[in-house]
Amino acid sequence: MDVEVLIIGGGIVGLACAAESAQRGFSTMLIERHQSFGQEASSRNSEVIHSGIYYAPGSLKAKFCPTANEQLYRYCQQNNVWANRCGKLIVAVTKEEEPELHKLLQRGNENGVPDIQLLTADQTKAIEPNIRCVAALYLPTTGIVDSHELMRAYMREAKEKSAEIIFGVDFKDVIDSHHEFKVLLRDANGETMELVTRYVINSAGLSSDTIAQLFGINIDDAGYRLYPNRGHYFRVSAGKSKLVSRLVYPVPFQKLLGLGTHITIDRAGQVKLGPDQEFCFEKQEHEWYQFDESKKEKFYHAVKRYFPPLELEDLRSEE
């Protein structure tokens, strides 16, 4: 056997798995088709450390998120990873939206999210003077993290425990899976190689359903089929970015099908708006990351209703 654990995908999940696998004493190899880590979804997100308020009570997400929230802050502190427990507001802009806040409050309490506060308009204005709403939920445990620093920390930990991290190698196929897995890999030069492993961890992000199929899993029966859905972000001018110090989210869409276009803040204090939702059924993979500048006005109107100082000329694309 060449390795006990093979991990496919070098995003944040794959790197965390490599660190944990190596920590447990397994001989571990991680392969990533790109030339560096986190080149896809792991580097294209809001970098938010969530509280766990949105998830269905009793679900695994509801169970694990509040616990992982505190664990992640602790991990960042121990490993010199930048994180900011800045807090988050979910705002109801109209009286009609206010009942949704009460539903979320109940859900958050059921999920064990700590220290949730229901704020009036005046209480909200006291901490975020430039946000307009009739009421808001304040979640002090929500924050942001430098995702690239976090991935570097996981990779460093994995390597220190003797995990092998290999970039520029793509997973191609399963040759045999009777008693162990014999798999076919291909490097950036087109050279193929076989590897035998006892366990495979599929953390290939947007390609994970394709890889699951190669292992004989019926992805429809298993509920593994992915429906690629991309989101755009727009950055806000430096002057207007200074007017917000916390994350600000609108009341989410019905049935939590989306969290709405929201305000997040990066390490430099730069505010960005997003994401929206756009299914990519008709797009090829190379088109998923192309930016659509025509969405600017839609973003502006979505956020202007709760952040009145925003003007259309304050927005620029983030590609």
Side-chain angles (χ1 to χ4, degrees):
M1 182 174 299
D2 297 317
V3 68
E4 290 179 279
V5 178
L6 174 67
I7 299 168
I8 305 168
I12 197 162
V13 173
L15 293 167
C17 288
E20 182 67 20
S21 174
Q23 172 67 34
R24 296 189 183 198
F26 293 101
S27 61
T28 302
M29 177 186 291
L30 180 148
I31 60 168
E32 163 57 49
R33 62 178 176 171
H34 296 293
Q35 295 300 322
S36 186
F37 61 84
Q39 296 297 294
E40 298 184 10
S42 292
S43 58
R44 293 175 170 86
N45 57 74
S46 302
E47 299 186 308
V48 173
I49 301 174
H50 284 285
S51 66
I53 193 172
Y54 296 113
Y55 307 125
S59 66
L60 291 177
K61 286 183 177 180
K63 177 182 177 182
F64 292 137
C65 190
T67 301
N69 173 284
E70 187 57 40
Q71 290 177 342
L72 183 52
Y73 285 118
R74 187 163 58 250
Y75 183 89
C76 289
Q77 184 176 25
Q78 293 170 346
N79 292 275
N80 296 315
V81 174
W82 183 89
N84 178 13
R85 199 188 302 245
C86 58
K88 164 179 163 178
L89 291 168
I90 304 175
V91 298
V93 180
T94 66
K95 285 289 186 182
E96 291 74 22
E97 293 177 347
E98 201 168 353
E100 295 301 316
L101 291 184
H102 292 275
K103 291 179 183 177
L104 281 176
L105 176 61
Q106 180 179 351
R107 175 169 287 201
N109 288 332
E110 289 180 32
N111 291 348
V113 178
D115 304 325
I116 311 172
Q117 301 171 44
L118 182 61
L119 305 182
T120 65
D122 288 341
Q123 289 172 323
T124 305
K125 188 169 285 292
I127 62 173
E128 287 291 350
N130 295 293
I131 296 300
R132 179 176 63 194
C133 65
V134 298
L137 285 181
Y138 179 48
L139 303 165
T141 61
T142 301
I144 49 177
V145 64
D146 186 322
S147 60
H148 288 81
E149 274 195 5
L150 182 59
M151 285 188 278
R152 288 190 195 97
Y154 285 143
M155 184 167 64
R156 182 171 60 249
E157 181 183 357
K159 288 183 174 180
E160 287 173 354
K161 301 298 182 182
S162 301
E164 192 173 2
I165 311 290
I166 304 177
F167 297 114
V169 172
D170 199 4
F171 179 87
K172 300 308 295 182
D173 206 352
V174 183
I175 303 171
D176 187 14
S177 59
H178 285 90
H179 303 292
E180 53 197 13
F181 297 104
K182 182 184 291 185
V183 299
L184 185 67
L185 311 177
R186 181 175 297 164
D187 66 19
N189 297 318
E191 297 292 326
T192 60
M193 63 200 89
E194 293 182 8
L195 181 140
V196 178
T197 181
R198 180 176 298 169
Y199 305 108
V200 175
I201 297 176
N202 178 4
S203 59
L206 294 173
S207 300
S208 56
D209 57 347
T210 301
I211 288 175
Q213 278 186 309
L214 293 174
F215 282 87
I217 296 173
N218 186 314
I219 60 174
D220 292 307
D221 289 348
Y224 288 173
R225 183 176 294 279
L226 297 181
Y227 300 92
N229 185 329
R230 70 177 183 174
H232 294 75
Y233 288 91
F234 281 87
R235 287 194 174 273
V236 175
S237 65
K240 295 296 172 65
S241 289
K242 295 176 182 177
L243 300 181
V244 184
S245 59
R246 295 167 178 81
L247 312 183
V248 185
Y249 285 53
V251 169
F253 298 140
Q254 290 293 316
K255 300 182 180 180
L256 291 175
L257 296 178
L259 301 183
T261 303
H262 45 265
I263 292 174
T264 58
I265 307 169
D266 67 16
R267 180 173 182 170
Q270 173 82 59
V271 164
K272 59 182 180 181
L273 312 180
D276 62 347
Q277 294 185 90
E278 179 188 343
F279 282 102
C280 299
F281 298 123
E282 304 302 323
K283 296 183 184 297
Q284 300 298 314
E285 185 174 348
H286 70 274
E287 300 177 281
W288 290 352
Y289 302 109
Q290 293 176 357
F291 198 88
D292 185 351
E293 181 73 28
S294 69
K295 293 176 177 284
K296 180 187 288 190
E297 196 162 333
K298 176 185 174 184
F299 274 66
Y300 164 70
H301 289 296
V303 177
K304 175 80 172 179
R305 59 193 297 267
Y306 62 85
F307 184 38
L310 187 70
E311 299 298 340
L312 184 61
E313 56 267 26
D314 291 320
L315 304 189
R316 61 180 178 83
S317 62
E318 174 171 283
E319 300 190 42

